[in-house]
Amino acid sequence: TIANRVATINSNTNSNRITCWRRWNSNNSNNANHRSAPKTGTPKTGTPKTKTSNTTPNANPNNPEITTAPDKASTSFLTSFLAPKQMPPRYAPRWYAEMALLCTVFGITGTSTMVLVRPAVSDGLGLRGTMKEGPWSYRVCSLVIMTPVYAAVLVVVGTVFGRHAYFRHFSVKMFSRFGVPPELMDRNFRKNAENFRKW
């Protein structure tokens, strides 16, 4: 009986081993077939990711290839053109050229002011006369009208010649003599007056 039981146990053990081996073999074959099979299914839908860039958007919608950017060169040129210019050392060649330019601006401004003021006084106010012969009403009205016109024309002509800051300081100083606070027209007037050179 003992021999029969041992034989039965051995047969059961061998059958269990065979069954396990078959299961392991079938699992490996299924995994291999699953890996080699092509992937099927509906593709994922969604909005494609777009790369963001720091470029300026197109200003011309008709031509998307042309992009426009802020013109920094023109801005820097305008800033340097209106900035204060340093006065050259006296009696140097550059100083003589600077004095010739300043005298030219003053001459153009004076002539332009007279051309504008005389018709305004004679035709607009109906006053006839001259600064030398009078009458006094003509002289007073000419001076009152001439001062603001001269200051405005001086800034315009000086800006055209590239000396905006220089002649702006002169204009603000002229208005301040009539009781107008210079800080209303130029906040940095006091600071600029400390380092200002006429010639």
Side-chain angles (χ1 to χ4, degrees), residues 98-165:
E98 187 72 16
M99 291 299 103
L101 187 145
L102 297 181
C103 292
T104 302
V105 173
F106 281 117
I108 295 174
T109 302
T111 305
S112 303
T113 303
M114 294 302 296
V115 172
L116 295 174
V117 170
R118 284 181 178 178
V121 175
S122 59
D123 298 338
L125 300 178
L127 298 175
R128 304 292 178 179
T130 60
M131 295 295 293
K132 182 178 179 180
E133 297 177 358
W136 279 102
S137 58
Y138 180 88
R139 295 171 180 170
V140 173
C141 291
S142 297
L143 292 175
V144 171
I145 298 174
M146 187 181 299
T147 302
V149 173
Y150 181 86
V153 175
L154 184 64
V155 175
V156 173
V157 178
T159 303
V160 172
F161 281 83
R163 298 296 183 271
H164 172 79

Side-chain angles (χ1 to χ4, degrees), residues 10 14 24 32 49 57 86 88 110 122 125 142-143 147 163 173 179 196:
N10 291 332
N14 291 330
W24 178 80
K49 295 182 180 180
Q86 186 177 4
S122 59
L125 300 178
S142 297
L143 292 175
T147 302
R163 298 296 183 271
K173 190 174 182 180
F196 182 76

Side-chain angles (χ1 to χ4, degrees), residues 26-38:
S26 63
N27 290 333
N28 289 336
S29 62
N30 291 332
N31 292 332
N33 293 331
H34 180 72
R35 292 175 182 175
S36 61

Side-chain angles (χ1 to χ4, degrees), residues 20-128:
C20 291
W21 181 84
R22 289 177 179 176
R23 289 180 180 177
W24 178 80
N25 192 12
S26 63
N27 290 333
N28 289 336
S29 62
N30 291 332
N31 292 332
N33 293 331
H34 180 72
R35 292 175 182 175
S36 61
K39 294 182 180 180
T40 59
T42 57
K44 294 182 180 180
T45 60
T47 57
K49 295 182 180 180
T50 58
K51 296 181 180 181
T52 59
S53 59
N54 296 327
T55 57
T56 306
N58 296 331
N60 188 0
N62 297 326
N63 192 358
E65 295 181 357
I66 300 176
T67 58
T68 57
D71 193 356
K72 296 182 179 180
S74 61
T75 304
S76 60
F77 172 77
L78 183 61
T79 303
S80 61
F81 186 75
L82 299 178
K85 305 295 189 300
Q86 186 177 4
M87 185 68 66
R90 289 185 180 180
Y91 309 115
R94 290 180 56 195
W95 181 81
Y96 286 106
E98 187 72 16
M99 291 299 103
L101 187 145
L102 297 181
C103 292
T104 302
V105 173
F106 281 117
I108 295 174
T109 302
T111 305
S112 303
T113 303
M114 294 302 296
V115 172
L116 295 174
V117 170
R118 284 181 178 178
V121 175
S122 59
D123 298 338
L125 300 178
L127 298 175
R128 304 292 178 179

